[in-house]
Amino acid sequence: MRFFSKLTLLKQKVLNSWNKQSHEGAIFRNMTKLITGDGIARVIGLITAPIITRIYLPEHMGVLSVFTSLVALMVPFGTFRYSLAIPLPKNDGSAFNISVLSFLLLSISTLFLFFIFMFFGQGILVFFSMDQITIYWWLVPIAFAGTGLYELLSGWAIRKKEFNPLAKTKVWQKIIGDVVKVLFGFIGIRPLGLLIGYILNQAGGIIRLFKDLKKHFVNNVRYISKKRIIFFSKRYSDFPKYRIPSQFLLNLSAKAPLLYFAWHFGADTTGQIGLATMMLSLPISLIGYTTGKAYYAEIATIGKRMPDKIFKITKNVARKLFLFSIIPFSVILFFGPVIFEIVFGVKWYEAGVFASILSPYLLTQFIYSPISEGILSVFEKQSMVLLIEISRVLMTFFVFFISFLMKWTPNYTLILYSIGLSLHYFFATYLVFWIIKKTK
């Protein structure tokens, strides 16, 4: 009997080890698929960036920065964050009803936004010191709808682990968007070329992604019902209740430097910091985005009833992200100004200085961002997301309030901002692991 008992125990250990390797392996296999496509897209971006920075002036980049900030602040209200719940239900019929709910909300909010900007857009933008984009107000609802729809389709792709279509769309979006930026810049359509190119970068692959996922939609159309849509709107009501304000606050704190600099220092300096943050976001959007999507898909499959397994996977993922990030962020920290001047031109030296200052906080964000969304969604800690983002926004506004009172230069302002956010992300990462441990 002891022999069979030991044999059973050994078998269970082997199965547990295999399952751990299987889930972790799946994360990194799917991550590899996404990196392949997103990596190609980023390479395209790196190739075209020196061309774009020589065609457009810093003030043009400042207009783009303000535009992207405005869109980012509105995007959480598109699908009311229900799109984040698409990977969670056990059956596809339930998930498809959530998808329909997300689409209906996106359609209504887009129409509402269009009419608001048609009649009151200029007054709103001038009031918030966004005068630079008043003539491009009509692009805001388009960018809003496109980004929301791509978010919805991405949620379904994550659920079905259709990472190849996601990777392909990333490549096509980047190619189309950057080609438009360069062509429009050459023929003198500035800064409009940057804005249209940005929209295509965010949502240019919608049609392609829809075609790849169409078979899943067709198979689940029969499950749509008004009763089920209402049921799931209540079942996952924590997503709009907590995720909308938390995502809004996340985007607000992320875009706060651009908005503050646009208001206080002008479009030229805003363009410099815009390029700095855009280049620094490359590793975050490449490795962080791909890891986060693959990680979320895998732990959603495991479920919150197996916290030990999720804890081990999360620890391994965070460790690898940290090891991977040390070298690139160290290079930017010590050689940022020189690199930016050589790659983008002499007029972008200041952007390199800004990049060097911001690199420490982006290192901590690089580790936190990929694991946070998955953990907080799977363990249904939407209220915790909101608290984290509230603390981040308060810290951010405190920094800029002090900067304004003390009349600090852009450099001193960004130094305090970088230190504050580094501490914030370090604490938030600790909190993620605490949530998993507490569930054990």
Side-chain angles (χ1 to χ4, degrees):
M1 291 293 291
R2 287 185 178 179
F3 171 76
F4 287 108
S5 178
K6 289 181 179 180
L7 186 63
T8 303
L9 184 61
L10 179 62
K11 178 182 177 182
Q12 188 61 44
K13 287 183 178 178
V14 172
L15 286 173
N16 289 341
S17 176
W18 183 86
N19 284 333
K20 175 188 174 185
Q21 293 174 1
S22 175
H23 286 298
E24 290 182 4
I27 290 174
F28 289 106
R29 282 196 303 272
N30 293 329
M31 177 180 157
T32 302
K33 292 178 184 177
L34 288 170
I35 286 178
T36 301
D38 212 38
I40 295 172
R42 300 304 165 186
V43 169
I44 294 168
L46 287 172
I47 293 172
T48 57
I51 302 173
I52 291 170
T53 54
R54 284 169 171 81
I55 298 174
Y56 295 94
L57 298 173
E59 64 187 66
H60 297 146
M61 294 294 291
V63 173
L64 175 65
S65 298
V66 173
F67 180 83
T68 57
S69 300
L70 181 62
V71 173
L73 292 177
M74 294 178 176
V75 162
F77 299 93
T79 64
F80 281 56
R81 308 307 285 164
Y82 277 111
S83 58
L84 292 177
I86 293 173
L88 298 178
K90 291 183 179 180
N91 62 77
D92 288 349
S94 299
F96 193 66
N97 275 274
I98 298 173
S99 301
V100 173
L101 170 64
S102 301
F103 181 76
L104 291 174
L105 291 171
L106 178 62
S107 301
I108 294 169
S109 55
T110 300
L111 285 173
F112 177 76
L113 185 65
F114 177 79
F115 286 114
I116 287 293
F117 269 81
M118 177 183 287
F119 295 108
F120 309 106
Q122 184 170 354
I124 293 171
L125 294 172
V126 171
F127 179 79
F128 287 103
S129 301
M130 297 183 181
D131 312 53
Q132 305 102 316
I133 61 173
T134 51
I135 62 174
Y136 306 116
W137 69 265
W138 50 277
L139 285 175
V140 175
I142 296 175
F144 173 83
T147 304
L149 189 53
Y150 189 81
E151 178 186 281
L152 192 162
L153 293 173
S154 296
W156 192 264
I158 292 169
R159 174 180 180 81
K160 305 305 295 182
K161 298 185 180 179
E162 294 278 2
F163 295 107
N164 284 330
L166 272 179
K168 291 177 183 177
T169 56
K170 282 291 177 182
V171 175
W172 283 110
Q173 285 180 173
K174 194 62 181 175
I175 291 174
I176 295 170
D178 283 10
V179 166
V180 167
K181 289 177 184 177
V182 172
L183 288 178
F184 276 45
F186 270 127
I187 61 178
I189 305 178
R190 312 174 192 137
L192 181 60
L194 286 175
L195 304 184
I196 295 176
Y198 163 77
I199 294 172
L200 293 173
N201 283 157
Q202 297 299 308
I206 287 175
I207 296 175
R208 175 65 183 271
L209 188 56
F210 177 79
K211 287 181 178 178
D212 288 325
L213 298 172
K214 185 179 178 181
K215 60 182 182 293
H216 301 298
F217 299 150
V218 172
N219 292 337
N220 290 283
V221 169
R222 64 183 182 274
Y223 297 115
I224 300 174
S225 72
K226 180 180 178 181
K227 184 177 180 180
R228 297 187 79 187
I229 291 174
I230 294 173
F231 170 79
F232 286 113
S233 70
K234 296 177 180 178
R235 167 66 180 84
Y236 293 103
S237 61
D238 277 358
F239 280 85
K241 189 185 300 182
Y242 296 112
R243 284 289 187 161
I244 287 179
S246 62
Q247 187 65 36
F248 175 81
L249 293 174
L250 170 65
N251 293 342
L252 178 61
S253 58
K255 301 299 182 181
L258 297 174
L259 298 175
Y260 176 75
F261 274 60
W263 171 71
H264 196 54
F265 296 109
D268 189 85
T269 303
T270 307
Q272 297 283 352
I273 193 174
L275 180 65
T277 53
M278 183 174 67
M279 289 298 106
L280 284 174
S281 69
L282 284 177
I284 295 174
S285 56
L286 173 56
I287 307 298
Y289 167 85
T290 53
T291 304
K293 296 299 182 187
Y295 171 79
Y296 185 15
E298 205 59 36
I299 66 169
T301 302
I302 297 171
K304 63 181 180 180
R305 291 185 178 86
M306 303 181 74
D308 288 327
K309 184 177 292 186
I310 291 178
F311 182 85
K312 291 177 182 178
I313 293 171
T314 305
K315 184 178 179 181
N316 191 34
V317 170
R319 182 176 61 85
K320 289 182 178 179
L321 285 171
F322 174 72
L323 293 174
F324 180 86
S325 61
I326 292 175
I327 295 177
F329 282 105
S330 296
V331 170
I332 295 297
L333 176 64
F334 295 108
F335 306 105
V338 177
I339 293 173
F340 271 67
E341 184 176 14
I342 293 172
V343 176
F344 304 112
V346 178
K347 63 186 177 184
W348 297 101
Y349 178 86
E350 191 177 11
V353 175
F354 292 160
S356 179
I357 294 171
L358 293 172
S359 58
Y361 111 71
L362 286 163
L363 171 62
T364 55
Q365 182 189 16
F366 182 76
I367 298 167
Y368 167 76
S369 296
I371 62 175
S372 60
E373 184 174 295
I375 291 295
L376 297 171
S377 293
V378 169
F379 287 89
E380 299 187 30
K381 298 293 183 181
Q382 313 308 328
S383 59
M384 189 67 72
V385 181
L386 181 57
L387 291 174
I388 291 172
E389 297 311 328
I390 289 174
S391 66
R392 184 182 181 208
V393 167
L394 290 175
M395 187 280 302
T396 300
F397 276 85
F398 174 76
V399 167
F400 293 123
F401 179 70
I402 294 298
S403 171
F404 179 74
L405 288 181
M406 302 297 292
K407 297 181 180 179
W408 281 350
T409 63
N411 288 20
Y412 282 122
T413 303
L414 288 181
I415 288 172
L416 184 59
Y417 176 74
S418 184
I419 293 172
L421 283 190
S422 296
L423 295 174
H424 168 82
Y425 279 121
F426 181 82
F427 174 75
T429 302
Y430 168 80
L431 199 59
V432 166
F433 282 97
W434 177 81
I435 288 170
I436 307 173
K437 281 185 175 182
K438 186 182 177 183
T439 314
K440 288 185 179 182

